[in-house]
Amino acid sequence: MTKTVRINAQLITDWETFHDLFKKVFGFPDFYGKNMNAWIDCMTYIDDKDSGMTRVWINKTDTLVIELTNSKKLKQRCPDIHSALLECAAFVNFRKIENKEQSMIAIAAD
């Protein structure tokens, strides 16, 4: 089963807006550090409802699709953020695979 969360990349203009948007959409905790290490930590627990790291959950056998709309403009405007998002989602998947679990995040970009 898949769960899709839509992120409007038009709203991302810098690192602060990136982290604010993901915190709002995913319900990251108040102590969220607003850096990519903290993003990775929160997203790693997307399949653990009791962790308190996010208000969006999937089952361990499901896939979370982050549908990134207006991604071409984000890639032009903030290439470092665009690249970091892809790399960090891949790292979350790598963490899961290292723990003998399945990868769980897919990025769909227009």
Side-chain angles (χ1 to χ4, degrees), residues 26-31 38-58 60 96 104:
F26 283 91
F28 294 163
D30 289 339
F31 60 84
W39 187 94
I40 288 167
D41 289 342
C42 288
M43 296 303 284
T44 296
Y45 289 95
I46 202 83
D47 60 349
D48 183 354
K49 185 176 182 177
D50 297 327
S51 71
M53 298 297 277
T54 179
R55 287 191 311 259
V56 174
W57 308 286
I58 61 171
K60 289 198 179 285
K96 291 297 183 177
M104 60 183 187

Coordinates of all heavy atoms in Angstrom, one line a residue, residues 26-31 38-58 60 96 104:
F26 N 4.4 17.1 7.8 CA 4.6 15.8 8.5 C 4.4 15.8 10.0 O 4.3 14.8 10.6 CB 6.0 15.3 8.1 CG 6.1 14.7 6.7 CD1 6.5 15.5 5.7 CD2 5.7 13.4 6.5 CE1 6.5 15.0 4.4 CE2 5.8 12.9 5.2 CZ 6.2 13.7 4.1
G27 N 4.2 17.0 10.6 CA 4.0 17.1 12.0 C 5.2 16.7 12.8 O 5.1 16.0 13.8
F28 N 6.4 17.1 12.4 CA 7.6 16.8 13.1 C 7.5 17.5 14.5 O 6.8 18.5 14.7 CB 8.8 17.4 12.4 CG 9.2 16.8 11.1 CD1 10.0 17.4 10.2 CD2 8.7 15.5 10.8 CE1 10.4 16.8 9.0 CE2 9.0 14.9 9.6 CZ 9.9 15.6 8.7
P29 N 8.1 16.9 15.5 CA 8.0 17.4 16.9 C 8.6 18.8 17.1 O 9.4 19.3 16.3 CB 8.8 16.4 17.7 CG 9.8 15.8 16.8 CD 9.1 15.8 15.4
D30 N 8.2 19.5 18.2 CA 8.6 20.8 18.4 C 10.2 20.9 18.5 O 10.7 22.0 18.2 CB 8.0 21.4 19.7 CG 6.5 21.7 19.6 OD1 6.1 21.8 18.4 OD2 5.8 21.7 20.6
F31 N 10.8 19.9 19.0 CA 12.3 19.9 19.1 C 13.0 19.6 17.8 O 14.2 19.5 17.8 CB 12.7 18.9 20.2 CG 12.4 17.5 20.0 CD1 13.2 16.7 19.2 CD2 11.2 16.9 20.5 CE1 12.9 15.3 18.9 CE2 10.9 15.6 20.3 CZ 11.7 14.8 19.5
A38 N 18.3 16.1 11.3 CA 17.0 16.0 12.0 C 15.9 15.5 11.1 O 15.0 14.7 11.5 CB 16.6 17.3 12.6
W39 N 15.9 15.9 9.8 CA 14.9 15.5 8.8 C 15.0 14.0 8.6 O 14.0 13.2 8.7 CB 15.2 16.2 7.5 CG 14.1 16.0 6.5 CD1 13.0 16.7 6.2 CD2 14.1 14.9 5.5 NE1 12.3 16.2 5.2 CE2 13.0 15.1 4.7 CE3 14.9 13.8 5.2 CZ2 12.6 14.2 3.7 CZ3 14.6 12.9 4.2 CH2 13.5 13.1 3.4
I40 N 16.3 13.5 8.5 CA 16.5 12.0 8.3 C 16.0 11.3 9.6 O 15.3 10.3 9.4 CB 18.0 11.8 8.1 CG1 18.4 12.2 6.7 CG2 18.3 10.3 8.3 CD1 19.9 12.3 6.5
D41 N 16.3 11.8 10.7 CA 15.8 11.1 12.0 C 14.3 11.0 12.0 O 13.8 10.0 12.3 CB 16.4 11.8 13.2 CG 17.9 11.6 13.4 OD1 18.4 10.7 12.8 OD2 18.4 12.4 14.2
C42 N 13.6 12.1 11.7 CA 12.2 12.1 11.7 C 11.6 11.1 10.7 O 10.7 10.3 11.0 CB 11.6 13.5 11.5 SG 11.8 14.6 12.9
M43 N 12.1 11.2 9.5 CA 11.6 10.4 8.4 C 11.9 8.9 8.6 O 11.2 8.0 8.1 CB 12.2 10.9 7.1 CG 11.7 12.3 6.7 SD 9.9 12.5 6.6 CE 9.5 11.6 5.1
T44 N 13.0 8.6 9.3 CA 13.3 7.2 9.6 C 12.2 6.5 10.4 O 12.0 5.3 10.3 CB 14.7 7.1 10.3 OG1 15.7 7.6 9.5 CG2 15.0 5.7 10.7
Y45 N 11.5 7.3 11.2 CA 10.5 6.8 12.1 C 9.1 7.0 11.5 O 8.1 6.8 12.2 CB 10.6 7.5 13.5 CG 11.8 7.0 14.2 CD1 12.9 7.8 14.2 CD2 11.7 5.9 14.9 CE1 14.1 7.3 14.9 CE2 12.8 5.4 15.6 CZ 14.0 6.2 15.6 OH 15.1 5.7 16.3
I46 N 9.0 7.2 10.2 CA 7.7 7.3 9.5 C 6.8 6.1 9.7 O 5.6 6.1 9.6 CB 7.9 7.8 8.1 CG1 6.6 8.4 7.5 CG2 8.3 6.6 7.2 CD1 6.5 9.9 7.8
D47 N 7.5 4.9 10.0 CA 6.7 3.7 10.1 C 6.6 3.3 11.6 O 6.3 2.1 11.9 CB 7.4 2.6 9.3 CG 8.9 2.3 9.8 OD1 9.4 3.1 10.6 OD2 9.4 1.3 9.4
D48 N 6.8 4.2 12.5 CA 6.7 3.9 13.9 C 5.8 5.0 14.6 O 6.2 6.0 15.0 CB 8.1 4.0 14.6 CG 8.1 3.6 16.1 OD1 7.0 3.5 16.6 OD2 9.2 3.5 16.6
K49 N 4.5 4.7 14.6 CA 3.5 5.6 15.0 C 3.7 6.1 16.5 O 3.4 7.2 16.8 CB 2.1 4.9 14.9 CG 0.9 5.8 15.3 CD -0.4 5.1 15.1 CE -1.5 6.0 15.4 NZ -2.8 5.4 15.1
D50 N 4.3 5.2 17.3 CA 4.5 5.6 18.7 C 5.7 6.4 19.0 O 6.0 6.8 20.1 CB 4.5 4.3 19.5 CG 3.2 3.5 19.5 OD1 2.2 4.1 19.4 OD2 3.3 2.3 19.5
S51 N 6.5 6.7 18.0 CA 7.8 7.4 18.2 C 7.6 8.9 18.5 O 8.4 9.5 19.1 CB 8.7 7.3 16.9 OG 8.2 8.0 15.9
G52 N 6.5 9.4 18.0 CA 6.2 10.8 18.2 C 7.1 11.7 17.3 O 7.1 13.0 17.4
M53 N 7.7 11.1 16.3 CA 8.6 11.9 15.4 C 7.8 12.5 14.2 O 8.3 13.4 13.6 CB 9.7 11.1 14.9 CG 10.6 10.5 16.0 SD 11.5 11.9 16.9 CE 12.8 12.1 15.7
T54 N 6.6 12.0 13.9 CA 5.8 12.5 12.8 C 4.4 12.2 13.1 O 4.1 11.2 13.8 CB 6.3 12.0 11.5 OG1 5.5 12.4 10.4 CG2 6.3 10.5 11.5
R55 N 3.5 13.0 12.5 CA 2.1 12.7 12.5 C 1.6 11.9 11.3 O 0.4 11.6 11.2 CB 1.2 14.0 12.7 CG 1.4 14.5 14.1 CD 0.3 15.6 14.4 NE 0.3 16.6 13.3 CZ 0.9 17.8 13.3 NH1 1.6 18.2 14.4 NH2 0.8 18.7 12.3
V56 N 2.5 11.7 10.3 CA 2.1 10.9 9.1 C 2.8 9.6 9.3 O 4.0 9.5 9.6 CB 2.7 11.6 7.9 CG1 2.5 10.8 6.6 CG2 2.0 13.0 7.7
W57 N 2.1 8.5 9.2 CA 2.6 7.2 9.4 C 2.3 6.2 8.2 O 1.3 6.4 7.6 CB 2.1 6.5 10.6 CG 2.2 7.4 11.8 CD1 3.3 7.6 12.5 CD2 1.2 8.1 12.5 NE1 3.1 8.5 13.6 CE2 1.7 8.8 13.6 CE3 -0.2 8.2 12.3 CZ2 1.0 9.6 14.5 CZ3 -0.9 9.0 13.2 CH2 -0.3 9.7 14.2
I58 N 3.2 5.3 8.0 CA 2.9 4.2 7.1 C 3.2 2.9 7.9 O 4.0 2.9 8.9 CB 3.7 4.3 5.8 CG1 5.2 4.2 6.1 CG2 3.3 5.5 5.0 CD1 6.1 4.1 4.9
K60 N 5.1 -0.8 8.1 CA 6.5 -1.2 7.7 C 6.6 -1.8 6.3 O 7.7 -1.8 5.7 CB 7.1 -2.2 8.7 CG 7.4 -1.5 10.1 CD 8.3 -2.4 10.9 CE 8.6 -1.7 12.2 NZ 9.5 -0.6 12.0
K96 N 17.0 1.7 6.4 CA 16.1 0.6 6.5 C 16.6 -0.7 6.0 O 16.5 -1.7 6.6 CB 14.7 1.0 5.8 CG 14.0 2.1 6.5 CD 13.6 1.7 7.9 CE 12.7 2.7 8.6 NZ 12.3 2.2 9.9
M104 N 11.3 2.7 2.1 CA 9.9 3.1 2.3 C 9.6 4.4 1.7 O 8.5 4.8 1.8 CB 9.6 3.1 3.8 CG 10.5 4.0 4.6 SD 10.1 3.8 6.4 CE 11.1 5.1 7.0

